[in-house]
Amino acid sequence: MGSRNSFSRILKTLEKQGGGEFGKYYSLPSLSDSRIDWLPFSIRILLESAIRNCDDFQVTTKDVENILDWEKTSPKKVEIPFKPARVLLQDFTGVPTVVDLAGMRNAMNKLGGDPSKINPLVPVDLVIDHSVQVDVSRSENALQANMELELERNKERYSFLKWGANAFNNMIVIPPGAGIVHQVNLEYLARVVFNTNGILYPDTVFGTDSHTSMVDGLGVAGWGVGGIEAEAAMLGQAISMVLPGVVGFELSGSLKNGVTATDLVLTVAKMLRQHGVVGNFVEFYGKGMSEISLPDRATIANMSPEYGATMGFFPVDHVTLQYLKLTGRSDDMISMIETYLRANKMFMDYSKPEKEMAFSSHLKLNLEDVEPCVSGPKRPHDQVLLKDMKADWHACLDRKVGFKGYGILKEDQSKIVKFESGGLPAQLKHGDIVIAAITSCTNTSNPSVMIHSGLLAKKACNLGLEVKPWIKTSLAPGSRVVTKYLEKSGLLSYLKKLGFHIVGYGCSTCIGNSGDLDESVASAISENDIVTAAVLSGNRNFEGRIHPLTRANYLASPPLVVAYALAGTVDIDFETEPIGVSKDGKEFFLRDIWPSSEEVAEIVQSNVLPDMFKSVYETITEGHPTWNDLYVASNRLYEWDPKSSYIREPPNLKDISVTPPGPYEVKDAYCLLNLGDSITTDHISPGGSIHRDSPAAKYLKELGVDRRDFNSYGSRRGNDEVMVRGTFGNIRLVNKLMEGEVGPNTIHIPSGEKLSVFDAAMRYKKKGQDTIVLAGAEYGTGSARDWAAKGPKLMGVKAVIAKSFERIHRSNLAGMGIIPLCFQPGEDAETLELTGHERYTIDLPNDISKITPGQNIIVKTNNGKLFKCKLRFDTEVELAYFDHGDILQFVIRSFITSKNGNVHASS
């Protein structure tokens, strides 16, 4: 195996303009290869990484050649290894990642290996952000009350993360309350260009949240991976990926007055979803780029998962450098970034003639064609123009139940339910809004849309307009900087007057942390089957995600969230119907309070200042007093507490053997679930609050945990007993075995009993019976959640047979040793007349050397059916994971058997 870099001949010195040097770098121009000039910028970054890490062991000269020849190799789906510069974690995924690292270290110790080898080899940034359960809103003390409650609830979890920061080298932990992970990444953590031991290279990042792609707006190549992939990358393993195609997205013109960045991103999401970009990079370019601010770019990049791309990439240009200066990066750092990127053909200079690049396909958008819009009611790419919203809503009521339908009978559509709220008379009808939230990193850190919402609130307040008291309003900024500029501009007070109080600085409503609705509102909805709505400025609106009682969920810009809160319903045509009536009885329309683009720009210019970013981030590692006072043991090996309801030793690492177990057979397996298309990780992975009647609640009660302390699934992701019980626990899960009944249940085939999915899985497991899952297209779309693979693994699921998989989820299944299989083109469970009541045998060799990535596999049923599937272990490395049981066991054994600590598929 090699250790010397095969490309050391192109290691050059980067000199400063005034004398001296920044450091050394691997110079792409020094390759003297004309193909580089045709490569998209995003592919040049992959190329530099392969060259810098080339040791002819994990990364070979052949890999470098494949990337150089991208135009010919990418259509062939060639595999390449990639090593990111760093890994980004947020606490929901950070806790299980640190749990796994601690478990691996303990397992290594039991096997007689050196536990210190289990340590991040690349920088790890962990931001504690997903901790804003909106229990308190519409009050001045909402932020303080929520913060104290979260710190109290999560004390054990936070202590564990603090232990991890001390126990593992190369790990930074940002305490709770600092901001949403992706915004902290954008404003503070992103290096754009690294300088490590005198070697310069582009900042690239793997994040355990699919919206890690937000940083692509800053020219940092990053995307979401599963926690298990992130752990492997942290431990120095090159991650195998298909060399992606790159869709060139050309922008021209400029946005019309009053059109927001949110309108733009929802338009882009629809276009790209229709074009088909799953597994690809999207790279933006064109004359319209100078019209798109950095926060607007980040808003577009953030929603890459919603349009299906791995990345929505914006190459570094003068707009990027201006943002770096605004956010307090030093002049020396900015100079180094620009000099390096220009020298290495990675800087986009719009002052020079635009060079043609070899994109896989092209799309064009004239920004002048973008119109105000929302997206919903159940998917982020179902764009609805604002002018069509009322008609579209009524069509949704009429249509049969589906992504755009509720199947409400005509005679029931005008039903009005009267109730009391706070002692005052109130009423609800279909389409009425009960949650209005300015939330999520997508929008709450974009100064233009935040100022826009504040100005709209000011105009509404000045006209005497109000939000109905039973609508749960909240404001969860992505950064504390937002508070500073909203306060300086005087606009925060108007948002508060309308009920949009700051509840915290983390993901809230967008991730399902909406908190409870007022009991009278909840009863009115549930007892009368009213289709109520939530309007949020987030990026996800899948069924059951925002709140169990809001069946319609619309994504909208922050100012439109305020507008809809004032209107109180989505059943409105803003052009022809008034948004509200003042106390003196005068009607006002949305156009009367909608700020102009010039008004917004003027306030942004004078109120969003570099000193705000500097003051926030100078003290970012100083936490809340409760955080600072947390006791942390100094042990390098974690001492597991068997009584803990938050942190448990990973079960797959407790009894690990030195020898890999090898591939397993799947024989006469029962179907645990028969699912349709677009099953998301929200349907699979536990999320949101823990329902009082769920298997997880029963388990916690048995541990003596009071119901008020159940907390959320996200907070308990370090406890496998809780998480496996919540797997497939979504109340909107449609399982064909249940014949129309919706919810987290299934049929136990041998007995015919209806059971919770968990109880059925455990009954199969106890009897030693294998299980599989049948699914449709796009299985596993949505947020990258490792528990969407870990949960089924612990349930005993041996394989998932689907029409197609979402990229990250397929990788996670492979990483956990679950067999991913795809039906042949044109076939699925329905065309093959599979009901899920059959038993399934998967004809897979028990010798790993006889299995190849992507081979065809025969599946047999007990009633004589025989069909072919494609094995979606896509690489030799994924086959190695399967051979070892899962990726974590593979890494441990690799460290034990490797003399130099390298992790290699053949170990």
Side-chain angles (χ1 to χ4, degrees):
M1 65 183 69
S3 58
R4 183 176 180 275
N5 193 303
S6 305
F7 292 90
S8 56
R9 69 185 185 279
I10 64 168
L11 191 62
K12 304 296 181 184
T13 299
L14 187 68
E15 296 179 351
K16 295 182 179 180
Q17 194 170 7
E21 61 182 61
F22 288 112
K24 296 186 180 300
Y25 71 106
Y26 287 88
S27 168
L28 299 188
S30 295
L31 286 173
S32 301
D33 194 315
S34 61
R35 289 175 293 180
I36 294 172
D37 294 328
W38 292 90
L39 291 178
F41 282 78
S42 50
I43 300 300
R44 295 179 200 187
I45 290 173
L46 298 184
L47 175 63
E48 188 283 336
S49 175
I51 288 171
R52 176 169 36 87
N53 290 297
C54 185
D55 60 358
D56 286 316
F57 175 55
Q58 292 197 64
V59 183
T60 68
T61 51
K62 176 63 175 174
D63 296 320
V64 173
E65 173 58 27
N66 280 337
I67 301 173
L68 266 170
D69 209 28
W70 169 83
E71 204 172 349
K72 294 178 182 176
T73 53
S74 64
K76 298 176 183 177
K77 303 297 182 185
V78 169
E79 293 284 331
I80 62 161
F82 179 63
K83 286 189 171 188
R86 62 189 171 98
V87 171
L88 179 69
L89 308 173
Q90 41 78 274
D91 63 328
F92 272 13
T93 48
V95 169
T97 300
V98 178
V99 164
D100 284 341
L101 286 174
M104 290 171 73
R105 188 174 275 185
N106 285 24
M108 177 78 93
N109 191 53
K110 291 174 187 174
L111 291 175
D114 181 1
S116 67
K117 282 187 177 180
I118 306 296
N119 205 68
L121 300 178
V122 300
V124 176
D125 303 320
L126 195 159
V127 182
I128 301 177
D129 74 331
H130 279 218
S131 52
V132 185
Q133 182 83 15
V134 188
D135 290 297
V136 183
S137 64
R138 302 201 79 159
S139 68
E140 193 64 44
N141 73 336
L143 173 61
Q144 183 65 21
N146 279 323
M147 190 73 180
E148 288 175 358
L149 191 58
E150 290 304 319
L151 284 163
E152 179 190 336
R153 279 176 170 169
N154 297 294
K155 188 175 180 180
E156 183 182 349
R157 186 164 62 102
Y158 291 164
S159 293
F160 176 70
L161 288 177
K162 214 172 176 185
W163 168 84
N166 293 337
F168 297 103
N169 300 330
N170 224 9
M171 182 184 290
I172 297 172
V173 175
I174 306 296
I180 292 174
V181 58
H182 309 305
Q183 190 64 24
V184 174
N185 191 24
L186 195 75
E187 295 177 353
Y188 176 68
L189 295 171
R191 284 73 154 178
V192 186
V193 172
F194 263 88
N195 187 342
T196 302
N197 300 324
I199 301 294
L200 305 173
Y201 52 96
D203 182 7
T204 55
V205 59
F206 278 176
T208 52
D209 185 293
S210 54
H211 294 101
T212 299
S213 57
M214 183 170 178
V215 81
D216 300 337
L218 194 66
V220 174
W223 57 88
V225 298
I228 45 188
E229 271 187 302
E231 290 163 16
M234 286 160 52
L235 294 165
Q237 184 177 8
I239 303 301
S240 186
M241 61 181 283
V242 174
L243 187 58
V246 182
V247 178
F249 200 117
E250 184 179 1
L251 298 171
S252 62
S254 56
L255 295 174
K256 291 182 292 193
N257 192 10
V259 175
T260 68
T262 315
D263 301 322
L264 171 59
V265 72
L266 294 180
T267 302
V268 168
K270 182 181 180 182
M271 289 177 66
L272 287 169
R273 180 61 75 171
Q274 289 177 340
H275 184 72
V277 293
V278 172
N280 291 321
F281 291 172
V282 175
E283 190 166 307
F284 294 87
Y285 71 103
K287 291 178 179 163
M289 286 280 281
S290 59
E291 298 292 321
I292 307 295
S293 71
L294 199 293
D296 290 358
R297 296 177 182 190
T299 305
I300 296 169
N302 180 293
M303 287 190 74
S304 295
E306 280 66 52
Y307 45 81
T310 304
M311 280 204 304
F313 187 73
F314 291 80
V316 174
D317 61 10
H318 70 284
V319 175
T320 318
L321 300 180
Q322 289 167 3
Y323 182 80
L324 292 172
K325 191 169 185 65
L326 171 67
T327 49
R329 270 74 165 203
S330 70
D331 289 342
D332 285 347
M333 180 184 180
I334 295 170
S335 175
M336 181 264 288
I337 290 169
E338 181 177 6
T339 306
Y340 167 78
L341 294 176
R342 283 186 183 276
N344 228 11
K345 295 189 175 184
M346 295 179 180
F347 189 88
M348 179 67 85
D349 191 339
Y350 290 103
S351 66
K352 296 179 179 178
E354 216 169 293
K355 290 184 179 179
E356 190 176 343
M357 281 181 281
F359 292 116
S360 307
S361 60
H362 294 78
L363 282 174
K364 292 184 179 181
L365 174 64
N366 187 331
L367 298 174
E368 294 174 8
D369 295 335
V370 178
E371 296 186 51
C373 58
V374 299
S375 197
K378 302 180 186 182
R379 295 191 301 187
H381 55 276
D382 289 334
Q383 181 200 31
V384 185
L385 296 181
L386 197 61
K387 63 185 181 183
D388 299 332
M389 181 61 177
K390 187 180 180 74
D392 190 80
W393 170 249
H394 282 276
C396 287
L397 290 178
D398 288 335
R399 290 191 196 104
K400 66 178 183 179
V401 175
F403 292 123
K404 292 285 289 184
Y406 293 99
I408 304 297
L409 297 174
K410 281 285 186 187
E411 57 266 30
D412 292 334
Q413 290 181 14
S414 56
K415 177 169 62 175
I416 295 175
V417 175
K418 296 186 177 181
F419 66 102
E420 277 197 3
S421 174
L424 298 173
Q427 63 180 41
L428 282 177
K429 61 183 189 305
H430 294 300
D432 278 1
I433 293 165
V434 293
I435 292 176
I438 302 175
T439 181
S440 167
C441 47
T442 317
N443 289 285
T444 59
S445 308
N446 186 324
S448 65
V449 291
M450 293 304 295
I451 294 293
H452 198 144
S453 62
L455 273 172
L456 189 140
K458 179 180 180 180
K459 291 171 184 272
C461 289
N462 289 342
L463 294 176
L465 302 181
E466 295 178 339
V467 174
K468 293 179 177 67
W470 58 84
I471 298 178
K472 189 166 191 176
T473 46
S474 60
L475 167 58
S479 164
R480 286 188 174 272
V481 176
V482 178
T483 304
K484 287 186 175 293
Y485 64 66
L486 284 178
E487 285 178 339
K488 186 175 187 302
S489 62
L491 297 176
L492 185 58
S493 61
Y494 295 102
L495 285 164
K496 288 179 178 179
K497 282 182 182 177
L498 295 182
F500 289 93
H501 289 271
I502 293 177
V503 295
Y505 297 92
C507 290
S508 53
T509 302
C510 190
I511 196 68
N513 285 347
S514 311
D516 293 334
L517 294 177
D518 182 85
E519 198 170 316
S520 62
V521 177
S523 298
I525 296 169
S526 56
E527 291 171 11
N528 297 280
D529 197 28
I530 298 293
V531 183
T532 55
V535 181
L536 64 150
S537 64
N539 44 30
R540 292 274 162 86
N541 57 339
F542 301 131
E543 263 193 303
R545 178 182 178 105
I546 308 306
H547 193 282
L549 295 178
T550 60
R551 287 157 63 189
N553 302 289
Y554 286 93
L555 306 183
S557 65
L560 277 179
V561 171
V562 177
Y564 272 110
L566 289 164
T569 181
V570 297
D571 186 8
I572 183 173
D573 179 348
F574 282 124
E575 188 62 35
T576 61
E577 297 178 79
I579 192 171
V581 180
S582 64
K583 289 181 179 177
D584 60 4
K586 186 177 180 181
E587 292 183 341
F588 288 100
F589 290 80
L590 180 58
R591 57 180 171 270
D592 297 323
I593 58 174
W594 193 262
S596 68
S597 299
E598 290 76 19
E599 285 178 275
V600 173
E602 184 180 336
I603 294 182
V604 169
Q605 185 71 28
S606 56
N607 291 277
V608 184
L609 306 171
D611 285 348
M612 294 177 175
F613 293 89
K614 287 178 182 176
S615 64
V616 164
Y617 288 111
E618 278 173 356
T619 58
I620 192 168
T621 56
E622 296 175 16
H624 188 279
T626 307
W627 165 269
N628 296 335
D629 292 340
L630 287 175
Y631 168 75
V632 174
S634 58
N635 303 21
R636 293 290 173 172
L637 290 174
Y638 191 73
E639 295 181 6
W640 307 100
D641 178 1
K643 297 178 182 177
S644 173
S645 63
Y646 278 95
I647 311 296
R648 283 176 53 87
E649 184 175 8
N652 56 320
L653 298 176
K654 283 182 182 178
D655 301 311
I656 182 173
S657 62
V658 175
T659 307
Y664 55 73
E665 64 175 359
V666 181
K667 189 173 182 181
D668 289 331
Y670 287 99
C671 179
L672 181 63
L673 293 151
N674 184 1
L675 305 169
D677 294 343
S678 296
I679 292 296
T680 71
T681 50
D682 281 356
H683 290 110
I684 310 166
S685 177
S689 58
I690 297 172
H691 192 273
R692 70 179 73 180
D693 299 322
S694 66
K698 183 181 178 183
Y699 165 79
L700 290 172
K701 285 175 188 173
E702 288 171 356
L703 286 183
V705 178
D706 190 86
R707 181 175 172 256
R708 67 180 294 275
D709 296 321
F710 280 179
N711 214 330
S712 64
Y713 282 108
S715 67
R716 294 190 181 273
R717 286 179 81 160
N719 185 328
D720 59 276
E721 294 285 4
V722 171
M723 298 303 284
V724 70
R725 283 165 171 77
T727 301
F728 294 113
N730 191 297
I731 61 166
R732 300 294 176 200
L733 185 71
V734 178
N735 173 16
K736 295 175 187 177
L737 292 175
M738 295 302 297
E739 299 182 344
E741 184 179 324
V742 177
N745 298 313
T746 195
I747 297 297
H748 178 252
I749 304 298
S751 66
E753 287 182 65
K754 181 178 83 171
L755 300 172
S756 73
V757 178
F758 169 77
D759 288 335
M762 292 304 103
R763 190 177 290 188
Y764 286 125
K765 201 171 180 181
K766 189 174 181 180
K767 291 277 190 180
Q769 296 163 330
D770 292 343
T771 54
I772 59 105
V773 170
L774 292 176
E778 298 179 337
Y779 181 77
T781 58
S783 297
R785 292 184 176 176
D786 51 351
W787 273 107
K790 288 179 179 177
K793 170 83 169 185
L794 294 179
M795 280 183 162
V797 173
K798 300 294 186 183
V800 177
I801 310 175
K803 281 186 73 174
S804 63
F805 293 94
E806 191 275 341
R807 176 185 62 87
I808 302 174
H809 185 61
R810 185 212 60 80
S811 176
N812 281 353
L813 289 174
M816 289 311 298
I818 294 176
I819 304 169
L821 293 170
C822 275
F823 291 107
Q824 294 293 299
E827 294 185 350
D828 58 20
E830 288 191 5
T831 63
L832 293 169
E833 298 182 337
L834 302 173
T835 66
H837 288 266
E838 308 87 354
R839 299 185 75 173
Y840 297 79
T841 296
I842 298 172
D843 190 12
L844 198 64
N846 59 7
D847 183 346
I848 200 69
S849 67
K850 295 179 181 177
I851 306 174
T852 57
Q855 76 179 73
N856 284 328
I857 298 293
I858 299 297
V859 180
K860 307 170 188 172
T861 66
N862 63 323
N863 59 3
K865 281 192 168 65
L866 201 83
F867 57 96
K868 203 180 286 184
C869 286
K870 182 176 181 179
L871 179 66
R872 287 301 311 277
F873 290 132
D874 287 355
T875 67
E876 293 290 344
V877 174
E878 289 181 348
L879 283 176
Y881 299 158
F882 181 51
D883 187 42
H884 281 255
D886 60 49
I887 192 172
L888 302 182
Q889 296 186 50
F890 165 73
V891 171
I892 291 172
R893 294 190 185 100
S894 299
F895 273 132
I896 289 175
T897 58
S898 175
K899 291 180 181 178
N900 64 359
N902 281 319
V903 181
H904 189 229
S906 63
S907 296

